[in-house]
Amino acid sequence: MNNTTLIILIAGSSKRFGGKIKKQFIKVDNRPIFIHSLISMLKFNFNNVILVSAEEEINNIKKYIEKEPLIKEKIKKNMHFIKGGDERVYSVYNAMTFLNNHRDDIKTDYVFIHDGVRPLVSKNEIKSLCEMVFEYDAAILASKVVDTIKKVDKNNNIIETIDRTYLYRAATPQGFKFDNYMLAIDKYINDKNANLVTDDAEIYSRYFGEVKVLECSANNIKITNKEDLNIFIKMK
């Protein structure tokens, strides 16, 4: 049996979204977006869930979860709340370190990391990703690039049209064998020459090994701006 842990990241500052309310807490159908994302992910039976957020928001998050019977019944006894970091990667590292320090109590063979503002991932996509991770140790969801991609110079003049045949937009969840990714992210954190990364697959591929891509729907969007929010409202 594979013990799985889901890490949901809801510690973002929402700088690009704007407004007084962080995007993960904007309500749609009287539920904050992170709850929609969590409900979508819990269509797969993860053994444990780690919610990573700003420390001052943890109590508020717990109150939202208390209002959701489906979440409480499914995972509450194995749900943990962790303080996030200044950047996404440090939030993930905090969660990974917590799991590593509690291995006797929280059994984790595979870890799946998901953005708290990506609520449209489907049950079939999650199930297929898990199967791929169990087989290959590392895989992510990603959608095919269908637009024509242009590379420009500093003056915005086109200098190249890029072949899109092998181009994908990285999405989440991203899943890894826990021991492998713990080694990789620890190496990254301790690498003084490392540049800031924006997803976990980059860390894994740079410091450990190959990562498979499983094509997902372009509907699996991350809510970054108000246009994305409107798409979610129309599609939910």
Side-chain angles (χ1 to χ4, degrees):
M1 176 183 174
N2 294 316
N3 291 299
T4 57
T5 295
L6 169 65
I7 297 174
I8 293 276
L9 302 173
I10 51 177
S13 61
S14 294
K15 291 178 182 177
R16 285 176 290 177
F17 192 89
K20 295 181 179 180
I21 301 175
K22 293 181 180 180
K23 59 190 176 185
Q24 56 266 43
F25 298 110
I26 291 174
K27 290 186 178 181
V28 176
D29 288 347
N30 206 35
R31 283 178 170 144
I33 289 171
F34 87 86
I35 289 289
H36 287 280
S37 300
L38 182 55
I39 288 173
S40 292
M41 288 300 296
L42 290 181
K43 291 173 183 175
F44 184 88
N45 291 319
F46 294 97
N47 300 102
N48 314 286
V49 173
I50 308 291
L51 289 171
V52 188
S53 70
E55 187 172 24
E56 65 272 14
E57 291 165 349
I58 290 176
N59 287 336
N60 199 32
I61 288 166
K62 289 179 178 179
K63 290 178 182 177
Y64 282 123
I65 289 172
E66 286 293 329
K67 297 177 182 179
E68 299 292 339
L70 289 176
I71 295 176
K72 288 198 301 179
E73 292 171 8
K74 200 161 191 178
I75 202 70
K76 186 180 178 184
K77 65 179 180 179
N78 294 320
M79 183 173 284
H80 308 273
F81 300 85
I82 303 298
K83 177 185 175 182
D86 292 336
E87 301 288 347
R88 182 188 189 280
V89 65
Y90 301 118
S91 291
V92 175
Y93 185 67
N94 288 352
M96 292 290 293
T97 301
F98 172 81
L99 289 170
N100 200 44
N101 291 339
H102 293 81
R103 300 195 69 160
D104 291 339
D105 304 317
I106 309 172
K107 305 296 184 184
T108 302
D109 299 309
Y110 295 90
V111 63
F112 293 84
I113 303 161
H114 189 59
D115 299 320
V117 288
R118 204 181 283 271
L120 289 172
V121 62
S122 74
K123 180 179 180 179
N124 286 339
E125 288 171 340
I126 300 166
K127 181 176 181 293
S128 297
L129 178 72
C130 290
E131 291 171 353
M132 183 173 279
V133 172
F134 296 157
E135 182 174 358
Y136 296 105
D137 290 346
I140 71 170
L141 290 183
S143 59
K144 285 281 288 183
V145 170
V146 296
D147 300 311
T148 298
I149 304 299
K150 302 292 186 181
K151 183 178 180 180
V152 302
D153 61 20
K154 63 181 180 181
N155 297 314
N156 284 336
N157 296 312
I158 295 172
I159 58 174
E160 185 183 358
T161 299
I162 298 174
D163 183 2
R164 67 189 179 198
T165 305
Y166 300 106
L167 295 182
Y168 285 81
R169 300 178 186 274
T172 68
Q174 301 189 353
F176 312 95
K177 189 173 183 179
F178 177 78
D179 288 339
N180 296 357
Y181 192 50
M182 190 69 240
L183 286 171
I185 197 169
D186 196 56
K187 286 181 180 179
Y188 168 80
I189 292 295
N190 289 288
D191 184 349
K192 295 180 180 178
N193 298 315
N195 296 322
L196 186 66
V197 299
T198 56
D199 83 334
D200 301 282
E202 183 177 357
I203 295 174
Y204 191 97
S205 61
R206 186 186 301 177
Y207 294 96
F208 194 90
E210 293 181 343
V211 180
K212 294 288 185 182
V213 164
L214 178 66
E215 185 174 351
C216 69
S217 169
N219 294 335
N220 183 16
I221 60 170
K222 181 179 181 181
I223 297 176
T224 303
N225 52 48
K226 292 178 174 61
E227 288 76 14
D228 298 328
L229 177 61
N230 290 333
I231 291 171
F232 170 52
I233 291 171
K234 291 177 183 177
M235 295 187 64
K236 64 178 176 54

